[in-house]
Amino acid sequence: MIDMFIMILSTVGAVFVLIASIGIVRMPDFYTRLSITIKAATLGIGCILTGAAIHFAEFSTTTKVLAIVFFLFITSPVAAFLIARSAYITGIKLWKRSVVDELQDKYDNRNNIPRSCPKDESEE
C-alpha cells in the first residue's frame, strides 16, 4: 500500500515538473513563464521529495526532506516575486495581449524606484 502511495506521489511530482517544462516553451512572455515554472516545479519537487521521505522512512532523512520542502515552499515565491519585479523595473515588456499592467503608474521609470518612496534630500 505504501509503495502505491510512493508511486503516486512520484508520478504526480514528475507530471508537475513536466508541466513546468512545457510551460517554459508554451507561455508567451517572461512573466507567465516564470509564474508557471515556479508554481508547477515547486509542487512537483515537493511531491517527489515527500515520496522519497516516505520511501526511506528514517528520522534523519525525513527531517532533512521536510526541511528542504519547507524552505522550498517559503523561498520559491519570494524569489519569483523579486525576479519578476526586477525584470519589470529593467524594462522587460509584458505580452502584447496583456490586459492589465498594475505596476504602470507605480514606478518612476527614470529613477527605477517606486513612486511611494520618499525622495532623498540629496536629490532635491
Side-chain angles (χ1 to χ4, degrees):
M1 182 66 184
I2 290 182
D3 290 339
M4 287 296 287
F5 190 62
I6 294 169
M7 285 188 274
I8 290 170
L9 276 174
S10 299
T11 304
V12 167
V15 167
F16 276 112
V17 171
L18 177 66
I19 289 170
S21 63
I22 292 171
I24 292 173
V25 176
R26 300 279 307 187
M27 293 296 127
D29 70 339
F30 173 78
Y31 303 103
T32 53
R33 287 181 191 140
L34 180 68
S35 175
I36 191 75
T37 303
I38 292 296
K39 290 174 185 175
T42 302
L43 189 56
I45 292 170
C47 288
I48 291 171
L49 287 174
T50 303
I54 294 170
H55 174 72
F56 291 110
E58 296 176 2
F59 180 74
S60 64
T61 306
T62 304
T63 305
K64 290 174 188 173
V65 167
L66 291 178
I68 292 169
V69 170
F70 174 74
F71 287 117
L72 183 70
F73 274 79
I74 296 297
T75 59
S76 289
V78 174
F81 170 76
L82 292 174
I83 291 169
R85 184 62 61 103
S86 64
Y88 187 84
I89 290 171
T90 58
I92 295 181
K93 302 292 182 196
L94 295 172
W95 183 35
K96 63 183 176 185
R97 294 171 66 186
S98 294
V99 178
V100 177
D101 182 4
E102 293 180 358
L103 297 177
Q104 185 175 17
D105 297 329
K106 296 185 180 179
Y107 274 96
D108 181 8
N109 292 335
R110 192 170 42 119
N111 297 325
N112 289 331
I113 58 171
R115 291 192 193 274
S116 61
C117 290
K119 291 183 180 180
D120 291 339
E121 294 179 11
S122 60
E123 292 180 10
E124 294 177 0

